[in-house]
């Protein structure tokens, strides 16, 4: 007896989005079953967009584009078998993608007081419930806010927008197929709120008043620009604008005041939308300070081991009443704490200070007192030691001019003799020109060296110079000398003498020395400035200027020393001269990583490798690929100047073994090689034979060509491999033809075309700029024709 047919795989329920393709399929155990499809109990013979297919034991019902009408229960019957399943059509709420992107990525902006309307059209199976939320709370209608909804759109209306309407809004669209949530932001901009108060009076005197305030709590949604400050005299109606401050400044000082007059002040904040209401101050009176000002620093009259006598002068500002006395304070030099010398004000302006520790150094300061209180303290006195005074030092010895030019003179001398006062702390140098009587100090603090260069002198002038030794008792007697300045040399503007020895591009091997010498001419000597990539040189670099040559020196070059170096010469007249050069620190590259072989396109081999570690620091690194056809044969270059990590070799002969090698290269040389571990071989093709399937005399399954997956645009870099693919359906199997800019590519050896069960690919090896353009794939059979187009864009690999 003949075995009965049974189901290998039954129909399964399917859920499909409206507009998408759908497929119901079942598998039977015998090839000669002729099936019949039913929908909701009715036999299907023809239905728009629905087709039937049989592939051997598999029976399919295919819907190109699912609509609501396609929902229902489907049944397949054939012979002794029966199976059924349901097709559910999902149609969730949807919003246009461009509108959705605009709503979610760009805030809706309105000016305060304007009407706001946000309308969102939607599609999907009705009924659709629309809900608007702000800050997670559902919006309900009130006197200003209304939410409208129809079967095709929902709209939020705000009749008179306010700053409090700013925030994050969410629109929730829901039906029985799903939920769509849209997040959007609303910004309402307005003039600022008034500055935050109160206005503080930082200072009030007879000459000026300084006020201070805080920024507004709300800037109106736009950055503040300025504050405007106004003033009104008490008893008058007019406000006078005093000035403006930038947004970063919340203080203002005015000197447009009169002593003992009272004023009001007010401040307004300004942004691009307008000016805020005013913050107003209380009444402010311009009064002079009652307590005295600070005296000048006290003078040291004398010093001994037991006491130090100081004196001082009355302050210039005595305050609102006469001075009744002074407080004196002392501290040890180097400490911060001031200690009182007297507890009761002294009327005299001179004081002998006792209770001092011998050998320590002290400083003193004084404050004046009147009926209003104690005034500000003076600056500290000069430091003085509590010890008996010593004899001032004698004359310095052998004072002479050691060198001079048109603008400077260098003096040298020897210490005074020990019997003429020991313990020299340093030296003072003074000068005067021949036409003046007053001496000018050249150094503010005593110098310890016995040589000094006086600069900034006039050419052809006569100068008198003198040197004194200094100890704790003060300066000794001066030794004097005269010097006549030379005529000034002619001015030579700075000029870098760039010749063949000065390179604008240097390639330095890592670890070697970077040494750059650049000759120049200039008179007087210029100021030399060095920069690397626009910033000061790293501390590892040393520079030197000597005998008309400037030098840059870096000991052991590192990769971080690569960059643009600039040297600038400038003289006192503002004349500049610059020169820039590039340094590239490099090294022989390290070997590439492991090499792998794969067949992406029939009868070719694609060689890929891990990058050389040197790619991290070498911009000009490239690769060379070599091959040989036996283990001991000669290597031949098959690819050079490769800036990627992939190369496809096409000239393969079936039956031969191929070995491949990859080398990294740069300006200094080549790395060690990375070789393939196993040879590559393409087997010789055997004769093909075909088994003709039995012709199936059943339902007519012929269909015109159609694209199940269309071509997509591609963007690739020069030298890489490009693969464009699509999926084609139809019966009989369509013939596939590829075109570029309307030119048939069938016989072009630069392109490989494949077709595996309807998945069609076009492969372009090592693309160039000439491969850019519009590509079209055409599918034809006896029932019709279909095509799909896409654009290929080529970008440079730099």
């Amino acid at each position: 007896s003949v075995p009965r047919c049974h189901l290998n795989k039954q129909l399964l329920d399917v859920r499909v989005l409206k507009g998408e393709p759908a497929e119901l399929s079942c598998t039977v155990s015998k090839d000669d079953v002729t099936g019949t499809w039913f929908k909701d109990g009715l036999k299907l013979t023809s239905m728009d967009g629905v087709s039937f297919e049989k592939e051997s034991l598999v029976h399919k019902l295919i819907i190109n584009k699912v609509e609501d009408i396609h929902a229902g229960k489907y049944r397949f019957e054939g012979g002794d078998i029966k199976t059924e399943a349901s097709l559910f059509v999902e149609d969730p709420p949807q919003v246009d993608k461009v509108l959705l992107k605009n709503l979610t990525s760009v805030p809706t902006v309105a000016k305060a007081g304007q009407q706001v309307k946000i309308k969102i059209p939607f599609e999907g199976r009705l009924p659709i419930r629309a809900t608007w939320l702000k800050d997670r709370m559902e919006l309900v209608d009130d006197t200003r806010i209304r939410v409208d909804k129809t079967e095709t759109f929902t709209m939020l209306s705000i009749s008179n927008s306010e700053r409090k309407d700013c925030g994050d809004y969410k629109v929730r669209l829901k039906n029985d197929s799903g939920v769509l949530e849209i997040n959007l932001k609303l910004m309402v901009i307005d003039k600022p709120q008034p500055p935050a108060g109160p206005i503080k009076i930082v200072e009030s005197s007879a000459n000026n008043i300084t006020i201070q305030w805080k920024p507004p709590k709300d800037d109106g949604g736009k950055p503040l620009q300025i504050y405007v400050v106004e003033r009104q005299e008490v008893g008058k109606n007019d406000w006078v604008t005093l000035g403006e401050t930038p947004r970063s400044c919340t203080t203002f000082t005015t000197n447009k005041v009169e002593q003992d007059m009272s004023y009001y002040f007010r401040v307004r904040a300004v942004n691009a939308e307008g000016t805020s209401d005013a913050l107003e101050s209380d009444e402010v009176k311009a009064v002079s300070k009652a307590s005295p000002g600070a005296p000048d620093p006290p003078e040291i009259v004398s010093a001994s081991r037991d006491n130090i006598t100081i004196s001082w002068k009355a302050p210039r500002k005595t305050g609102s009443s006469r001075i009744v006395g002074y407080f004196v304070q002392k501290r040890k030099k180097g400490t911060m704490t001031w200690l009182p010398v007297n507890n009761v004000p002294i009327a005299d302006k001179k004081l002998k200070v006792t209770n001092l520790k011998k050998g320590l150094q002290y400083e003193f300061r004084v404050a004046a007192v009147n009926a209003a209180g104690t005034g500000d303290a003076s600056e500290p006195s000069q430091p003085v030691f509590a010890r008996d005074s010593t004899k001032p030092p004698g004359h310095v010895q052998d004072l002479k001019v050691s060198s001079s030019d048109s603008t400077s003179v260098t003096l040298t001398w020897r210490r005074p003799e020990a019997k003429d006062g020991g313990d020299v702390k340093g030296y003072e140098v003074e000068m005067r020109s021949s036409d003046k009587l007053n001496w000018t100090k050249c150094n503010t603090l005593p110098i310890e060296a016995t040589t000094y260069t006086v600069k900034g002198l006039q050419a052809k002038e006569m100068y008198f110079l003198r040197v004194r030794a200094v100890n704790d008792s003060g300066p000794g007697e001066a030794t004097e000398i005269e010097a006549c300045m030379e005529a000034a040399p002619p001015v030579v503007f700075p000029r870098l003498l760039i010749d063949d020895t000065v390179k604008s591009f240097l390639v330095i091997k890592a670890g070697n020395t970077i040494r750059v010498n650049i000759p120049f001419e200039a008179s007087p000597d210029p100021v030399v400035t060095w920069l690397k990539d626009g910033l000061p040189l790293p501390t590892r670099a040393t520079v030197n200027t000597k005998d008309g040559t400037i030098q840059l020196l870096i000991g052991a070059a590192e990769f971080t020393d690569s960059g643009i170096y600039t040297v600038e010469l400038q003289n006192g007249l503002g004349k500049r001269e610059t020169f820039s050069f590039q340094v590239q620190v490099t090294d022989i590259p390290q070997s590439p990583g492991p090499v792998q072989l794969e067949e992406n396109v029939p009868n070719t081999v694609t060689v890929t490798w891990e990058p050389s570690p040197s790619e991290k620091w070498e911009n000009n690194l490239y690769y060379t690929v070599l091959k040989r056809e036996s283990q001991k044969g000669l290597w031949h270059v098959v690819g050079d100047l490769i800036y990627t990590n992939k190369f496809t070799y096409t000239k393969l002969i079936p039956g031969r073994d191929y070995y491949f090698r990859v080398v990294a290269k740069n300006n200094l040389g080549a790395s060690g090689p990375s070789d393939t571990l196993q040879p590559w071989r393409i087997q010789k093709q055997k004769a093909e034979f075909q088994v003709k399937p039995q012709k199936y005399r059943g339902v007519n399954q012929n269909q015109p060509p159609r694209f199940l997956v269309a071509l997509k645009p591609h963007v690739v870099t020069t030298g890489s491999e490009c693969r464009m693919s699509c999926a084609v359906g139809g019966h009989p199997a369509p013939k596939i033809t590829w075109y570029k800019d309307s030119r048939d590519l069938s016989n072009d050896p630069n392109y490989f075309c494949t077709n595996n069960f309807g998945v069609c690919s076009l492969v372009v090896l090592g693309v160039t700029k000439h491969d850019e353009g519009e590509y079209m794939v055409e599918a034809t059979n006896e029932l019709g024709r279909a095509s799909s187009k896409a654009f290929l864009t080529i970008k440079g690999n730099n």
Side-chain angles (χ1 to χ4, degrees), residues 124-151:
R125 181 175 301 130
L126 300 175
I128 293 178
R129 181 168 181 261
T131 310
W132 289 76
L133 300 97
K134 177 179 185 288
D135 300 330
R136 300 186 181 180
M137 297 290 290
E138 184 172 350
L139 289 177
V140 293
D141 290 2
D142 63 18
T143 54
R144 292 191 311 113
I145 297 174
R146 197 175 89 205
V147 174
D148 293 308
K149 181 204 169 269
T150 70
E151 291 186 352

Side-chain angles (χ1 to χ4, degrees), residues 532 535-543 552-555 558 560-561 565:
K532 175 182 180 286
L535 299 172
L537 288 183
T539 52
R540 298 177 50 254
T542 57
V543 294
L552 169 71
L553 186 67
I554 301 177
E558 300 175 0
T560 54
D561 294 324
Y565 290 78

Side-chain angles (χ1 to χ4, degrees), residues 688-709:
E688 295 184 357
F689 61 91
Q690 293 181 335
V691 177
K692 291 186 178 180
Q694 290 181 323
K695 288 188 178 179
Y696 173 65
R697 299 183 181 273
V699 179
N700 182 5
Q701 295 183 340
N702 289 352
Q703 286 187 332
R706 71 184 190 283
F707 280 86
L708 304 175
V709 179

Side-chain angles (χ1 to χ4, degrees), residues 701-743:
Q701 295 183 340
N702 289 352
Q703 286 187 332
R706 71 184 190 283
F707 280 86
L708 304 175
V709 179
L711 276 185
K712 293 180 181 177
H714 283 63
V715 179
V716 297
T717 54
T718 306
S720 61
E721 176 185 289
C722 175
R723 176 188 294 268
M724 290 186 281
S725 299
C726 60
V728 181
H731 193 83
K735 178 190 175 188
I736 303 301
T737 310
W738 289 85
Y739 298 89
K740 176 184 179 287
D741 298 329
S742 303
R743 180 171 63 86

Side-chain angles (χ1 to χ4, degrees), residues 373-390:
T374 305
D376 295 332
S378 69
E379 291 294 310
S381 69
Q382 289 291 324
V384 58
F385 283 98
R387 63 187 176 194
D388 294 333
S389 59
T390 56

Side-chain angles (χ1 to χ4, degrees), residues 616-669:
K616 294 176 184 175
W617 49 261
E618 175 57 81
N619 293 331
N620 298 318
L621 183 137
Y622 61 93
Y623 296 95
T624 299
V625 178
L626 306 94
K627 66 95 180 169
R628 65 182 181 187
E629 297 179 13
S630 67
Q631 267 192 311
K632 296 184 179 178
L634 293 176
W635 290 100
H636 296 281
V637 174
V638 292
D640 201 8
L641 294 173
I642 301 167
Y643 290 89
T644 62
N645 305 117
K646 180 192 286 189
F647 174 76
T648 300
Y649 184 62
T650 59
K651 301 173 183 176
L652 295 173
I653 299 173
R656 290 191 183 177
D657 285 347
Y658 290 89
Y659 297 84
F660 290 92
R661 163 176 285 184
V662 182
V663 176
K665 295 181 178 179
N666 66 3
N667 296 334
L668 289 183

